[in-house]
Amino acid sequence: MSEITWQEPYCAGGGNACIQIGHTADGTPVLRETARPGELVVTTREGLRNLVEAAKRGELDHLL
């Protein structure tokens, strides 16, 4: 996989549950948990957009 540019991690309450979002040189979105930096979830822009929009609508609240 090409080099990934990572954003600052999003951490819940300053704990270890930190999610980091990045993108490859061609714009492919990549997610990882900072506690497991070698395990990557690669998606599409549409897939990431759908995930974020579903979370905003509360459709993922049952997972928490």
Side-chain angles (χ1 to χ4, degrees):
M1 178 167 291
S2 63
E3 187 158 330
I4 300 170
T5 302
W6 294 103
Q7 302 293 315
E8 287 296 316
Y10 301 94
C11 300
N16 294 347
C18 300
I19 299 295
Q20 203 166 19
I21 299 174
H23 60 83
T24 62
D26 68 357
T28 301
V30 182
L31 293 90
R32 71 179 177 183
E33 188 171 347
T34 56
R36 295 180 156 165
E39 297 179 22
L40 306 178
V41 175
V42 180
T43 188
T44 62
R45 288 176 175 258
E46 181 181 14
L48 180 58
R49 183 180 303 110
N50 289 341
L51 177 68
V52 170
E53 291 299 326
K56 285 180 179 180
R57 291 189 300 270
E59 294 177 14
L60 306 176
D61 289 355
H62 67 283
L63 299 172
L64 304 176

